Amino acid sequence: MTRVRKNLNQVDLFPFLGKEKIPYEFYREEDLAKINKPDQINQLANNLGFNTHTNAWDSKLTPLLEHRWLKPNTLQARPYALDAVTRIDNQNGLIILATGLGKTFIAVIQIIRVLEQHPPKKVLILAPTKPLCEQHYRTLKDTIIGPSTCFITGRTGQKKRLALWQEHQIIIATAETIREEIAKNSGVGSADQVCLLILDEVHHLTGDHAYTYLAKHYLKTDKYVQIIGLTASPDSDLKKVEILRKLLQVKPSCVIAKFDDDQDVKPYTYDRLIKPIFLDRFHTDIQKILKQKFIAILTIETNILARGLDMDLKNCLYLNKRKQVVGLKVKSFNNLLTTIQDRINKTSDNNEKKDYRHLLMTWALAMRWRTAIDRLNKGLEELARFLKRQMSENLHNPKPSRKMFIQHETTQMAMYVLMSKRLWPMDYSPNGMYRLQ
């Protein structure tokens, strides 16, 4: 495979690509026949409270799971998945499984099991980002019938969170949101209501990440909460995997690690043909002008935060040679949210509470300007997508910080620039009340 850069100002993202191997498809059915033994699979499924069947349209080599809470024809009865749930049973577990091999589907099997065993209890699924929460929500809605599902993120209104928590059995949430609610003692995330806690992307459980706080909180508060960590990106250093195991109090026998070349996994993998993409290194003049304006505003917002909190924020910021803020260290910057919330809860002075609430808005604005810079670095098209999403979300879920961001003169200017490049609809009006196509 020959790959040639068009010019020296482009970055080769895939220098490691070489020869393409012969697709595995030729051997798939033969290997599936070896590992899929219907009687053994049916016995494994029955032991977990499921039945199996096959459909004419589906490969008869892989049975499908059946359950009153499972949508028909949605979940394959893969031996390695059933074996993982059998080994973990009702104990804490750590599942390391390559992307695309069904970590979420293993979680679905366990969710159904524990909710049958503990009908009044809840399952809490945590993810580090909002898009992951939305992805898990779609997956569960497409597979589970019966127990109701919702997701709670930073975008969910404060007043709606407790109602969602009380009304649903399966709650998907960002870790930061649950940490914030537990700190407020709002009732959301209450350990005595949870029977299963699932930590997706559990490799984030390090340092001062919200996962670390929440894992310790649930282990300490209620020893009967089962905790399962999921990851496709384990650290190559086995010592760090061992640290994860000990933090979650997982027995060695309940650490499940499966990889693409394992014999019971390989028949379910697919070869991927990757097309290299080259990115230009240099920004256009328009990008440079917009970026300087975004950086100036981000610098102002972070200075307001530093003064309001009386803190040195250098550990939370990326600075250029002119000491301007060009980006945020998101993990550290997220911790400021907890700091502000703690100060609001501790002070009895109404004026101080008001000042700290203004800082919450400043924090949210800084995060939006940081994202705008990040998208602009990737191109004007990416910036346009980000701004359109902000406009759409403001129509359906208006927030003061989002409205201020949209109506800021620099954002308005950016929209006109995008319009001149035919990346923004022409029926946009300067007051921000623009109708999405």
Side-chain angles (χ1 to χ4, degrees), residues 11 49 71 96 101 143 149 181 189 204 272 305 332 391 399:
V11 182
K71 284 189 178 181
I96 303 167
L101 291 179
T143 53
T149 305
E181 293 300 315
H204 289 291
R272 288 166 289 206
L305 271 177
S332 301
M391 296 286 285
K399 288 186 176 182

Side-chain angles (χ1 to χ4, degrees), residues 248-396:
L248 296 177
Q249 298 180 13
V250 175
K251 295 179 181 177
S253 60
C254 293
V255 177
I256 314 294
K258 292 289 181 180
F259 301 98
D260 288 349
D261 55 354
D262 287 345
Q263 290 304 307
D264 56 344
V265 169
K266 191 175 181 181
Y268 298 100
T269 63
Y270 294 85
D271 291 290
R272 288 166 289 206
L273 300 178
I274 302 171
K275 179 182 178 181
I277 298 174
F278 299 104
L279 299 180
D280 289 334
R281 282 180 177 167
F282 299 128
H283 291 156
T284 63
D285 290 339
I286 289 176
Q287 281 177 284
K288 289 177 183 178
I289 293 168
L290 287 177
K291 186 172 181 180
Q292 280 306 313
K293 289 185 175 293
F294 290 177
I295 287 172
I297 297 167
L298 181 58
T299 303
I300 291 170
E301 300 293 353
T302 53
N303 284 340
I304 293 171
L305 271 177
R307 288 196 302 270
L309 294 172
D310 192 23
M311 291 174 62
D312 184 352
L313 304 185
K314 286 182 181 178
N315 292 333
C316 304
L317 313 173
Y318 291 108
L319 304 175
N320 61 17
K321 292 179 180 179
R322 292 186 286 178
K323 304 297 182 183
Q324 291 177 305
V325 181
V326 297
L328 304 177
K329 299 177 182 178
V330 176
K331 187 184 291 187
S332 301
F333 198 76
N334 280 342
N335 292 333
L336 293 180
L337 191 59
T338 306
T339 301
I340 299 170
Q341 195 65 59
D342 287 345
R343 293 193 186 185
I344 292 173
N345 294 335
K346 288 176 182 177
T347 185
S348 57
D349 187 304
N350 288 331
N351 288 329
E352 284 190 3
K353 283 182 182 290
K354 185 177 179 181
D355 290 341
Y356 285 131
R357 289 194 179 101
H358 280 303
L359 289 182
L360 284 176
M361 188 180 299
T362 303
W363 181 91
L365 277 169
M367 287 294 282
R368 286 191 170 85
W369 286 112
R370 170 257 173 194
T371 306
I373 292 170
D374 179 66
R375 297 298 181 271
L376 180 61
N377 285 335
K378 296 175 182 176
L380 292 176
E381 293 87 353
E382 282 295 318
L383 177 64
R385 289 191 191 98
F386 168 67
L387 294 179
K388 285 178 182 177
R389 189 165 67 251
Q390 292 296 307
M391 296 286 285
S392 176
E393 289 174 357
N394 192 55
L395 289 174
H396 299 100

Side-chain angles (χ1 to χ4, degrees), residues 286 290 294 369 376 380 383-392 394 402-436:
I286 289 176
L290 287 177
F294 290 177
W369 286 112
L376 180 61
L380 292 176
L383 177 64
R385 289 191 191 98
F386 168 67
L387 294 179
K388 285 178 182 177
R389 189 165 67 251
Q390 292 296 307
M391 296 286 285
S392 176
N394 192 55
R402 187 179 289 128
K403 185 177 180 180
M404 286 180 66
F405 172 77
I406 290 169
Q407 295 188 346
H408 194 285
E409 61 180 0
T410 302
T411 309
Q412 300 282 307
M413 184 193 74
M415 291 174 181
Y416 277 121
V417 168
L418 294 171
M419 191 189 301
S420 72
K421 296 292 182 182
R422 301 184 182 277
L423 296 171
W424 197 262
M426 299 302 289
D427 65 346
Y428 166 76
S429 60
N431 64 6
M433 299 305 292
Y434 137 78
R435 181 174 58 82
L436 285 170

